[in-house]
């Protein structure tokens, strides 16, 4: 799998994601520990780039890219994207596309390098609260 970061996206991300960073591409829909929402109305319609200190064993599918990131995704999310992944910056937001079209027109970037892990109970409570507010 390969992702092309367009020049505008590279410019935008230059001060957000350091060169050679460990980054995962994942959903923000409650299906993984990096997600802050847990609503069924959000399943697989939001993506995020997560900056990590070290690789996560659950995200092992490499994504070759021109941004010089160590970019991976989870095998169980691979079906959500197809060939010709592109990250662009347009109208003030990052956009994730593939050959089918726009996957997310508000791709977020989250820095987890200094985040303390929360308990499963705390995470579930936060997701339920947020889920009630967005659906």
């Amino acid at each position: 799998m390969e992702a092309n970061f367009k020049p505008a996206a590279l410019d935008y991300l230059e001060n957000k994601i350091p060169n050679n960073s460990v980054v995962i591409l994942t959903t923000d829909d409650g299906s993984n520990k990096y997600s802050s929402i847990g609503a069924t109305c959000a399943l697989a319609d939001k993506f995020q780039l997560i900056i990590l200190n070290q690789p996560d064993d659950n995200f092992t599918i490499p994504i070759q890219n021109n941004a010089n990131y160590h970019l991976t995704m989870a095998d169980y999310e691979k079906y959500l994207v197809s060939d010709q992944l592109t990250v662009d910056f347009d109208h003030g937001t990052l956009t994730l596309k593939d050959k089918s079209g726009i996957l997310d027109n508000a791709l977020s970037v989250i820095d987890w390098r200094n985040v303390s892990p929360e308990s499963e109970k705390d995470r579930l409570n936060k997701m339920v609260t947020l889920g009630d507010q967005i659906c």
Side-chain angles (χ1 to χ4, degrees):
M1 185 171 301
E2 190 171 335
N4 179 32
F5 286 75
K6 298 286 189 174
L10 291 172
D11 288 345
Y12 174 77
L13 293 170
E14 183 176 22
N15 296 319
K16 297 189 179 328
I17 304 178
N19 196 23
N20 289 315
S21 287
V22 173
V23 180
I24 58 173
L25 173 64
T26 188
T27 56
D28 188 9
D29 62 2
S31 65
N32 62 72
K33 68 183 177 184
Y34 302 104
S35 179
S36 61
I37 61 174
T40 56
C41 65
L43 288 177
D45 74 340
K46 292 179 51 64
F47 288 83
Q48 54 188 349
L49 294 170
I50 305 290
I51 310 165
L52 300 175
N53 287 320
Q54 60 190 21
D56 183 318
D57 292 340
N58 294 317
F59 295 83
T60 59
I61 304 300
I63 304 173
Q64 302 303 316
N65 64 88
N66 62 324
N68 204 23
Y69 303 144
H70 300 282
L71 183 61
T72 58
M73 72 182 309
D75 187 55
Y76 64 86
E77 293 180 331
K78 194 169 61 172
Y79 79 96
L80 297 171
V81 299
S82 63
D83 294 334
Q84 302 169 10
L85 272 179
T86 303
V87 178
D88 202 354
F89 185 73
D90 189 30
H91 294 89
T93 63
L94 283 175
T95 303
L96 178 67
K97 302 176 185 177
D98 68 7
K99 70 179 181 182
S100 69
I102 295 174
L103 300 172
D104 188 345
N105 62 357
L107 177 66
S108 57
V109 178
I110 311 294
D111 190 343
W112 269 66
R113 292 175 295 172
N114 296 313
V115 173
S116 299
E118 59 191 352
S119 72
E120 283 294 317
K121 181 179 178 184
D122 289 341
R123 188 169 152 274
L124 178 62
N125 288 337
K126 184 168 74 173
M127 288 169 59
V128 167
T129 300
L130 285 170
D132 288 344
Q133 294 171 356
I134 64 173
C135 288

